């Protein structure tokens, strides 16, 4: 018969295990710039926002729309979408969720000052918001608009009182009032985000009483924290560590092909471009990148399967278009470009550059998986095709403002569709830049093609899914055929957990604490 002392010790150990099991610490790979859900349209920010807030429409692990704060939606007229709101939902401060909060949230989006990347692309189409009753709301658009439900996956709903708050008041917690599965305890910028469970969440009680999101942007530190037990889960497992981690019986790895396309953008607009010269450094009389033959040569020189194998450790999928083949808008007619260095040389000669030229490829070195290594591999391939190539890799905080200001000639970046279909990529990356319409917002090569524009605009006004997908597929085929950009590969998202914790991997790359399940 066990002693009272040993029995007490067992109780203490059991309580300690239960307390540990009720808490979850996750190592995140990218910095979070704000808790304000309308301040910066950035994947790490958006994932954190979904811990505290909800959207009208949520997305499944496969990026399919599903009910959120809205239970159903439909077009009641060609230019009117009606959303029925979920009843009985309360904000974390105890106030009731109604249509007034939706109005306040959407109206706040364009008013957030100093936004590095605003959410206005998802609200510009709304011409009028009609509140039919506290739980019915209608969005009026100037023309038929099929993407209203997918756009509503991107706009977080805050309370009408919180909508008056500043970004700083969201960051310090004063305005961080949402309907999500957790409540904010503390945001320590650059270090961690501490959360506590919202027991009144309409989606059901999360298994975790407390959650800490640690910002571990260094790959080695993130893996070390997992191995030591300082964190129970990490995102963006470094590809070089996957094989080693698979041998550790304490760990489980989860993987999913993501919707993030890695690509190369080229300045196909300016008569003279700053980082393309003759091989001896002298200025050229024209911008070679304006010639489709040159752009095609750059694409043809890249061996995508080799990059996937050698640089990405096979944790990527070679790309020939804007979205992976399982998403809406993917074209069966677009295939991965086969590497052909000699063919690339022939195209360069046809364009008037038999001896090639010199160019600089600008890239990030801390934003995407192996981003700087990918750029170096591309440079070597271009060099074999007769181009003198230099790589300049820099932190994303330095890279993106310069890329947006068109400081580069050739750049490497990544794009996640956000909406789970191809119109997002076409609209942002290759439509002619038009700030008023929200087109070409990430078109940093200023590519322009009236046929691509017309087909994409047709798709954005077509509610019939079959017709809309046909427009998107044709637009993609024309853009890729003209080498509007060079698709490289789709990242494979990797999560690792310990102690039997499970996670359903997501196409949208988001790491959501309430989707982790503890060992029973």
């Amino acid at each position: 018969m066990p002693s009272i002392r040993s029995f007490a010790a067992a109780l203490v150990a059991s309580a300690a295990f239960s307390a540990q099991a009720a808490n979850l610490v996750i190592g995140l790979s990218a910095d979070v710039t704000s808790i304000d859900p309308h301040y910066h349209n950035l994947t790490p920010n958006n994932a954190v926002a979904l811990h505290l807030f909800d959207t009208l429409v949520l997305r499944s692990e496969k990026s399919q729309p599903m009910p959120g704060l809205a239970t159903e939606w439909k077009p009641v007229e060609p230019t009117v979408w009606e959303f029925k709101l979920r009843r009985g939902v309360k904000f974390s401060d105890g106030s009731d969720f109604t249509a007034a909060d939706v109005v306040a949230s959407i109206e706040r989006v364009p008013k957030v000052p100093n936004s590095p990347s605003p959410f206005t692309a998802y609200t510009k189409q709304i011409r009028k918001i009609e509140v039919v009753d506290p739980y019915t709301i209608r969005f009026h658009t100037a023309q038929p608009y099929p993407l209203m439900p997918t756009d509503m996956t991107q706009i977080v709903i805050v309370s009408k009182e919180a909508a008056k708050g500043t970004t700083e008041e969201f960051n310090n917690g004063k305005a961080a009032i949402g309907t999500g599965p957790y409540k904010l305890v503390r945001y320590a910028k650059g270090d961690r985000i501490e959360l506590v469970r919202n027991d009144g969440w309409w989606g059901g009680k999360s298994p975790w009483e407390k959650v800490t999101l640690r910002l571990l942007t260094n790959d080695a530190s993130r893996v070390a924290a997992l191995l030591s037990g300082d964190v129970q889960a990490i995102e963006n497992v470094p590809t070089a560590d996957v094989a080693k981690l698979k041998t550790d019986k304490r760990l489980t790895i989860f993987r999913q092909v993501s919707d993030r396309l890695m690509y190369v953008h080229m300045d196909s607009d300016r008569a003279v471009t700053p980082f393309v010269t003759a091989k001896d450094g002298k200025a050229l009389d024209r911008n070679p990148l304006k010639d489709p033959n040159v752009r095609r040569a750059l694409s043809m020189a890249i061996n995508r399967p080799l990059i996937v194998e050698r640089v990405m450790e096979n944790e990527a999928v070679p790309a020939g278009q804007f979205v992976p083949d399982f998403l809406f808008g993917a074209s069966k007619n677009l295939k991965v470009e086969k590497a052909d260095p000699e063919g690339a040389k022939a195209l360069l000669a046809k364009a008037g550059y038999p001896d090639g030229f010199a160019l600089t490829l600008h890239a990030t070195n801390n934003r995407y998986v192996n981003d700087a290594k990918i750029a170096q591999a591309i440079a070597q391939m271009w060099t074999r095709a007769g181009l003198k190539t230099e790589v300049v890799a820099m932190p994303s905080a330095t890279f993106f403002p310069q890329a947006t200001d068109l400081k580069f000639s050739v750049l490497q970046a990544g794009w996640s569709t956000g909406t789970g279909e191809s119109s997002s990529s076409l609209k942002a990356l290759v439509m002619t830049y038009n700030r008023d319409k929200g087109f070409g917002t990430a078109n940093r090569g200023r590519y322009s093609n009236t046929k691509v524009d017309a087909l994409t605009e047709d798709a954005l006004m077509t509610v019939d899914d079959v017709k809309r997908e046909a427009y998107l597929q044709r637009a993609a085929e024309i853009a890729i055929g003209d080498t509007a950009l060079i698709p490289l590969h789709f990242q494979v998202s990797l999560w690792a957990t310990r102690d039997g914790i499970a996670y359903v991997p997501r196409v949208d790359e988001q790491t959501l604490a309430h989707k982790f399940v503890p060992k029973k």
Side-chain angles (χ1 to χ4, degrees):
M1 183 175 180
S3 67
I4 294 177
R5 179 177 295 178
S6 64
F7 180 70
L11 282 178
V12 170
S14 176
F17 176 81
S18 298
Q20 183 179 13
N23 299 334
L24 180 67
V25 184
I26 304 172
L28 302 184
S29 62
D31 195 14
V32 174
T33 61
S34 179
I35 298 298
D36 184 342
H38 303 142
Y39 171 70
H40 191 179
N41 185 10
L42 189 70
T43 297
N45 287 23
N46 298 345
V48 168
L50 289 179
H51 290 79
L52 304 170
F53 311 96
D54 289 303
T55 52
L56 293 183
V57 182
L58 297 176
R59 283 189 294 170
S60 72
E61 290 80 8
K62 299 297 185 182
S63 281
Q64 298 302 310
M66 55 188 289
L69 289 178
T71 55
E72 55 184 288
W73 48 88
K74 62 181 179 182
V76 293
E77 295 178 26
T79 59
V80 182
W81 277 89
E82 180 179 274
F83 286 72
K84 292 289 187 180
L85 305 184
R86 191 177 297 275
R87 296 172 181 264
V89 175
K90 290 187 179 293
F91 286 94
S92 56
D93 64 355
S95 59
D96 292 323
F97 161 70
T98 69
D101 304 298
V102 179
V103 174
S105 298
I106 290 175
E107 290 182 344
R108 182 177 187 266
V109 167
K111 299 175 183 176
V112 177
N114 305 315
S115 172
S117 179
F119 289 82
T120 48
Y122 306 111
T123 61
K124 277 187 175 182
Q125 71 282 356
I126 300 172
R127 293 292 175 263
K128 186 178 78 170
I129 304 177
E130 175 190 357
V131 175
V132 179
D133 61 52
Y135 296 99
T136 307
I137 195 165
R138 289 178 175 174
F139 300 119
H140 295 250
T141 58
Q143 56 199 18
Y145 188 74
L147 294 180
M148 189 64 72
T150 52
D151 281 1
M152 289 301 106
T153 66
Q154 303 298 302
I155 304 300
V156 155
I157 306 302
V158 301
S159 75
K160 58 182 179 295
E161 289 303 315
K164 302 172 185 176
T166 64
T167 294
E168 180 54 36
E169 287 174 328
F170 276 90
N171 290 342
N172 65 30
K174 181 179 180 181
I177 308 301
T179 61
Y182 302 98
K183 295 182 281 188
L184 181 67
V185 175
R186 183 169 71 107
Y187 168 49
K189 186 173 176 60
D191 180 33
R192 67 187 62 209
I193 300 160
E194 297 175 358
L195 310 171
V196 65
R197 185 169 64 197
N198 176 10
D199 289 338
W201 184 44
W202 61 268
K205 189 179 291 188
S206 163
W208 313 107
E209 293 176 10
K210 296 180 180 179
V211 170
T212 301
L213 306 175
R214 289 185 57 190
L215 306 178
L216 300 172
T217 58
N218 178 273
D219 287 348
S221 298
R222 197 164 62 256
V223 171
L226 179 71
L227 292 172
S228 69
D230 287 346
V231 304
Q232 287 80 52
I234 62 171
E235 64 177 8
N236 286 349
V237 179
T239 56
D241 291 328
V242 171
K244 178 185 69 176
L245 296 182
K246 281 182 177 179
T247 65
D248 191 324
K249 293 181 179 180
R250 299 170 301 172
L251 308 179
T252 308
I253 292 178
F254 303 89
R255 65 195 302 276
Q256 171 65 54
V257 178
S258 79
D259 63 5
R260 183 172 301 283
L261 171 71
M262 292 301 295
Y263 65 93
V264 170
H265 241 153
M266 299 154 288
D267 176 9
S268 58
D269 177 52
R270 289 176 286 192
V272 177
T273 192
F275 287 97
V276 176
T277 67
K279 284 187 173 179
D280 61 5
K282 293 181 179 178
L284 295 173
D285 59 356
R286 64 187 188 277
N287 174 8
L289 302 173
K290 290 176 68 70
D291 189 326
N293 287 313
V294 171
R295 300 197 300 272
R296 175 73 190 283
L298 292 179
S299 178
M300 192 180 291
I302 298 173
N303 189 327
R304 293 161 179 81
L306 190 63
I307 290 176
V308 167
E309 178 188 348
R310 301 285 177 83
V311 180
M312 299 301 293
E313 310 278 348
N314 288 314
E315 297 295 349
V317 176
Q321 56 183 312
F322 295 95
V323 294
D325 57 13
F326 56 81
L327 288 186
F328 188 90
S331 169
K332 294 181 180 179
N333 297 324
L334 291 172
K335 308 299 181 182
V336 176
E337 178 104 60
K338 291 184 178 179
D340 184 359
E342 295 305 314
K345 290 178 181 178
L347 282 176
L348 289 172
K350 181 180 178 181
Y353 303 96
D355 299 320
F357 50 83
L359 77 160
T360 300
L361 172 60
H362 286 86
T364 56
N365 59 13
N366 66 345
R367 176 63 187 93
Y368 309 105
V369 179
N370 299 329
D371 41 11
K373 292 180 181 178
I374 297 166
Q376 291 290 350
I378 290 172
Q380 292 174 19
M381 294 169 185
W382 283 347
T383 298
R384 292 191 195 105
L387 299 165
K388 183 180 178 182
T389 310
E390 179 184 358
V391 171
V392 175
M394 62 189 73
S396 57
T398 304
F399 173 88
F400 283 111
Q402 292 189 55
T404 300
D405 288 342
L406 309 181
K407 300 293 187 183
F408 308 140
S409 296
V410 185
L411 63 90
Q412 174 188 286
W415 182 264
S416 173
T417 68
T419 57
E421 45 81 61
S422 65
S423 71
S424 165
S425 305
L426 287 162
K427 182 178 176 181
L429 298 178
V430 296
M431 284 191 77
T432 301
Y433 177 73
N434 185 318
R435 184 174 181 178
D436 292 335
K437 290 185 176 182
F439 296 157
T441 53
N443 184 349
R444 300 182 176 103
R446 289 298 188 264
Y447 174 80
S448 180
N449 185 314
T450 55
K451 291 181 180 179
V452 173
D453 292 345
L455 285 163
T456 307
E457 287 203 65
D458 285 343
L460 294 173
M461 293 187 291
T462 302
V463 178
D464 182 289
D465 279 349
V466 174
K467 292 181 179 178
R468 179 161 61 96
E469 186 167 38
Y471 285 136
L472 293 173
Q473 291 167 335
R474 185 59 187 143
E477 289 163 6
I478 293 172
I480 296 298
D482 198 28
T483 321
L485 51 71
I486 301 174
L488 299 174
H489 59 255
F490 299 106
Q491 289 187 174
V492 169
S493 297
L494 296 163
W495 293 263
T497 65
R498 57 180 291 136
D499 305 326
I501 293 172
Y503 189 65
V504 179
R506 301 178 62 87
V507 169
D508 62 14
E509 302 180 329
Q510 291 182 337
T511 299
L512 305 177
H514 51 293
K515 298 297 183 179
F516 287 90
V517 181
K519 179 171 62 176
K520 294 181 181 180

